[in-house]
Amino acid sequence: MSNPAILYQLPLTGEQQGDAIGSHHDGMHFFPMEGTDPYEGSSTDGLLVMNHEYVEPRYMHIAAIGQELSRSAFPTYVDGETVRRVADEVLTEMNGHGVSIVRVQQQVNGDWAVVADSRNRRVTALTPMEIRGPVRGTDFVKTKYSPDGTMTRGTINNCAHGVTPWNTYLTCEENWAGYFRNRDNSGDDQPREHQRYGVRAGVSRYGWDLADVDPESNQEAYARFNAAPVGASATEDYRNEPNTFGWVVEIDPFSPESTPVKRTYLGRFAHEGVVFQPPVEGQPIVLYSGDDARNEYIYKFVSAQPYFRATAGGHLLDSGTLYVAKFNDDGTGEWLPLAWGQGLLQPQPINQGEESDCTCFQSQADVLVNTRLAADRVGATTMDRPEWGAVDPNTRRVYFTLTNNTARTEDQVDAANPRPNNRWGQIIRWQEAGNDPAGTAFEWDIFILAGPMDDSEFNGQPLDEDQIFNSPDGLWIDFDSRIWIQTDISESVMNVGDWAQFGNNQMLACDPFNKELRRFLTGPLGQEITGVITTPDQQTMFINVQHPGATISPADFGSGAIAGKGNWPLGGSNYARSATVVITKDEGGVIGS
Ligand code: FEO
Ligand code: CA
Ligand code: CA
Ligand code: CA
């Protein structure tokens, strides 16, 4: 699918990219055009809203042509002793990030097209955003751009998403930390709110701070990715810029002039996505979010205020309790509150001998900026890289993909994360005790242990050759409780060694009632399948193919020998591009039925 307003030839200038669909499509939702309910309304006309997780610079710039660049490399040049980047290339990359909102309509011939609409919009790494919740206005987020700590610019590395019951879109900042650098010789003297998240000590992921921007123009929008304390105080530099990332961002797709809001009560970590329990009139809103990094955690937020459809809005996300999950080996689980002043989350050491290295917190904002440290402190269960979650709308049971975790050691194995050097991943699920989503107890089990035929299990049986998969990532449960599973085998091992038996990344469907699990589709070379939603009538499904072309070697990229090696969808001598795929049944009908 392409936008007729943005049919540029690649490569794009920075300005053109700001008007075009972004790179590396990920989580997405189809909002029916009526604009009242995220799952009810038109099945032929709506706003498709999608994340753009990251960029592959070699496919974006004229200067890359002929260079032997890897999938993560970017063009640079040397100015005297200094490595620099061309500012407009950096702008193209910043504008390739973020979120796209595009009106899509089914045409008379059945095809779908993007159509012009005043709501079509790009949100990028430069879009002004408001900070809400307990961190708003605190010293953690005061910068030269926003001395009162209420605003920041942009959202980056938006992986999966969420859909609120009040018909807005949530985009989740995942691997944002690597976009920053701070204290170049060693990360050891970084503040804990940088170090615990992996802010880099050397060159940042794309070197955006190296841009050769005209000092008279918007130089600080680029320089802010170097978070070194170069000014006299925090309001004279960008030492706190990384603290304005790692959040869930709310966007109202039906209000093109609205300012996106970073909702800080949902915690700061490598947010994969957000999933809600179905709302109940007069009860709290409950949602779940995973931190996709090795040995990180799964969280739940319960709003302080009850949900009423007539008055519901983003304010419900600004007060409540953030919990982190503890999975006991006996199949029970507990939600541990990350509430400042309760339990171990205290401003002073509470155990003897702890004075020298106390993980102490001075406020709820401190707990939230340092969510990972707070979760460490309360003794949550470290997980095998939590990716997407999904809630069965009919049973309220919650499912989460745990994609893999090769860092788990023999000593760290537990019942929920049962394999050391976990190369294959699993899908875990739980039911809240008494089916009360706001409670603090649950019962869990492993739904599918992914992997090859000799190291997997589903419904008491190993997966067969038509079912095997690994590295589950995308997950969605449709209105009939069908479970849609998408895989993300890393491009570094795809079709290599023990991973070769799984082939390319794929999508499976599972019927939880008759325990049927079947491969639904297999994607092209190099990509992952990610993002899935249907229209309300379930007769049209949208999925994303992300990063085709990632397995093209630097040598092949440099020589231009890319044909047939993963340059989907255009083939020939064209560069690969992420794209949205529309799926319908030949005779019509519910997808998966
Ligand atoms: Fe961006 Fe955890 O996948
Ligand atoms: Ca993902
Ligand atoms: Ca990926
Ligand atoms: Ca992944």
Side-chain angles (χ1 to χ4, degrees):
M1 187 183 297
S2 60
N3 186 335
I6 50 173
L7 272 181
Y8 299 115
Q9 291 295 308
L10 293 176
L12 307 185
T13 65
E15 188 180 349
Q16 287 172 332
Q17 182 64 71
D19 291 333
I21 202 91
S23 287
H24 288 59
H25 310 354
D26 210 310
M28 70 177 155
H29 188 71
F30 175 86
F31 288 89
M33 208 56 214
E34 291 81 353
T36 53
D37 187 292
Y39 303 106
E40 291 178 11
S42 177
S43 288
T44 58
D45 189 3
L47 298 180
L48 192 66
V49 184
M50 79 171 67
N51 289 343
H52 301 291
E53 188 179 24
Y54 63 103
V55 297
E56 207 161 324
R58 62 181 176 172
Y59 294 128
M60 304 182 93
H61 309 308
I62 290 172
I65 295 171
Q67 291 195 48
E68 293 196 354
L69 297 177
S70 73
R71 59 180 170 269
S72 55
F74 47 84
T76 58
Y77 70 95
V78 178
D79 177 13
E81 305 252 302
T82 311
V83 175
R84 306 300 298 266
R85 295 211 56 198
V86 173
D88 198 62
E89 292 179 1
V90 173
L91 183 59
T92 301
E93 294 170 21
M94 286 188 190
N95 282 339
H97 280 72
V99 173
S100 290
I101 298 159
V102 283
R103 185 171 183 180
V104 295
Q105 243 177 17
Q106 193 168 29
Q107 307 297 292
V108 175
N109 68 357
D111 289 351
W112 284 75
V114 172
V115 296
D117 191 278
S118 61
R119 286 156 287 202
N120 289 354
R121 177 186 186 188
R122 282 302 319 283
V123 171
T124 72
L126 291 156
T127 304
M129 310 216 160
E130 197 179 344
I131 299 167
R132 287 273 180 186
V135 179
R136 176 184 173 88
T138 65
D139 286 348
F140 290 110
V141 287
K142 290 177 178 167
T143 62
K144 190 172 179 184
Y145 174 72
S146 181
D148 64 357
T150 58
M151 297 287 293
T152 187
R153 276 169 290 194
T155 186
I156 51 175
N157 211 271
N158 304 84
C159 197
H161 70 299
V163 182
T164 70
W166 48 94
N167 211 41
T168 62
Y169 185 81
L170 300 177
T171 187
C172 300
E173 298 175 341
E174 190 192 20
N175 293 309
W176 50 272
Y179 289 63
F180 294 93
R181 58 193 273 211
N182 188 6
R183 330 268 168 136
D184 282 353
N185 295 322
S186 160
D188 292 348
D189 59 352
Q190 288 181 2
R192 66 182 187 172
E193 60 269 21
H194 295 190
Q195 193 174 46
R196 180 67 175 81
Y197 293 90
V199 170
R200 296 190 182 187
V203 178
S204 62
R205 177 168 177 172
Y206 295 117
W208 286 349
D209 54 294
L210 305 176
D212 56 3
V213 193
D214 176 353
E216 300 299 310
S217 70
N218 196 17
Q219 191 176 33
E220 290 181 7
Y222 302 75
R224 66 191 162 123
F225 291 96
N226 185 344
V230 294
S233 71
T235 56
E236 292 173 56
D237 61 28
Y238 288 94
R239 70 187 67 178
N240 288 331
E241 189 74 358
N243 302 344
T244 72
F245 289 84
W247 306 108
V248 172
V249 183
E250 184 174 15
I251 297 170
D252 183 351
F254 290 92
S255 299
E257 303 301 324
S258 60
T259 301
V261 179
K262 300 208 174 189
R263 298 284 177 194
T264 61
Y265 225 135
L266 307 190
R268 176 171 174 260
F269 43 89
H271 276 282
E272 179 74 19
V274 170
V275 286
F276 287 76
Q277 286 280 357
V280 177
E281 197 76 358
Q283 297 295 311
I285 283 289
V286 177
L287 59 86
Y288 306 91
S289 186
D291 183 353
D292 179 11
R294 292 166 176 168
N295 299 316
E296 293 297 343
Y297 305 109
I298 293 174
Y299 299 86
K300 164 166 114 169
F301 175 81
V302 179
S303 68
Q305 299 175 52
Y307 167 84
F308 294 103
R309 184 177 168 90
T311 57
H315 62 277
L316 291 172
L317 305 180
D318 288 341
S319 61
T321 305
L322 185 67
Y323 296 89
V324 63
K326 183 168 187 225
F327 292 82
N328 300 317
D329 281 351
D330 64 359
T332 64
E334 303 160 57
W335 292 108
L336 309 173
L338 300 181
W340 182 65
Q342 290 185 26
L344 295 169
L345 304 180
Q346 299 293 335
Q348 304 293 332
I350 56 173
N351 294 325
Q352 280 193 338
E354 211 182 32
E355 283 75 7
S356 59
D357 62 349
C358 171
T359 306
C360 297
F361 301 89
Q362 303 308 316
S363 62
Q364 185 62 39
D366 196 2
V367 167
L368 294 169
V369 168
N370 293 291
T371 304
R372 284 180 172 176
L373 286 170
D376 294 342
R377 182 79 172 121
V378 300
T381 302
T382 63
M383 307 303 287
D384 287 345
R385 294 189 52 203
E387 296 254 27
W388 290 46
V391 180
D392 185 324
N394 301 305
T395 65
R396 295 184 170 274
R397 196 188 286 260
V398 189
Y399 294 69
F400 258 76
T401 54
L402 300 171
T403 199
N404 56 57
N405 181 4
T406 51
R408 187 169 293 275
T409 65
E410 296 272 2
D411 293 345
Q412 294 171 326
V413 163
D414 57 34
N417 304 274
R419 295 190 283 211
N421 183 33
N422 180 6
R423 296 184 295 174
W424 311 131
Q426 63 266 22
I427 300 176
I428 198 168
R429 63 180 180 177
W430 64 85
Q431 190 98 43
E432 301 280 7
N435 219 353
D436 173 16
T440 58
F442 59 91
E443 293 194 354
W444 67 270
D445 68 345
I446 289 181
F447 176 55
I448 303 178
L449 193 65
M453 286 184 281
D454 62 357
D455 187 10
S456 59
E457 187 182 333
F458 169 56
N459 195 29
Q461 302 287 325
L463 298 177
D464 67 30
E465 64 180 329
D466 295 322
Q467 296 173 319
I468 58 168
F469 69 95
N470 78 81
S471 302
D473 188 337
L475 191 71
W476 183 59
I477 302 180
D478 69 23
F479 314 122
D480 300 325
S481 296
R482 268 178 225 96
I483 303 169
W484 298 91
I485 302 164
Q486 303 175 319
T487 74
D488 180 20
I489 302 169
S490 167
E491 47 270 37
S492 62
V493 293
M494 196 182 297
N495 293 306
V496 170
D498 288 347
W499 283 266
Q501 63 191 305
F502 301 96
N504 293 349
N505 278 311
Q506 59 174 298
M507 180 165 163
L508 304 101
C510 180
D511 180 332
F513 301 113
N514 64 14
K515 307 282 193 289
E516 208 177 341
L517 173 67
R518 277 203 250 161
R519 189 163 300 140
F520 179 70
L521 61 84
T522 302
L525 276 173
Q527 55 72 52
E528 69 174 275
I529 303 287
T530 184
V532 50
I533 187 66
T534 66
T535 50
D537 66 5
Q538 298 177 262
Q539 298 204 19
T540 302
M541 175 180 274
F542 301 97
I543 63 158
N544 286 322
V545 171
Q546 190 198 82
H547 68 73
T551 49
I552 288 175
S553 69
D556 285 344
F557 179 81
S559 67
I562 61 172
K565 294 174 182 166
N567 56 340
W568 185 90
L570 299 175
S573 59
N574 294 288
Y575 284 166
R577 295 196 209 186
S578 297
T580 302
V581 175
V582 183
I583 298 169
T584 55
K585 293 180 87 158
D586 285 344
E587 306 303 323
V590 172
I591 308 295
S593 66

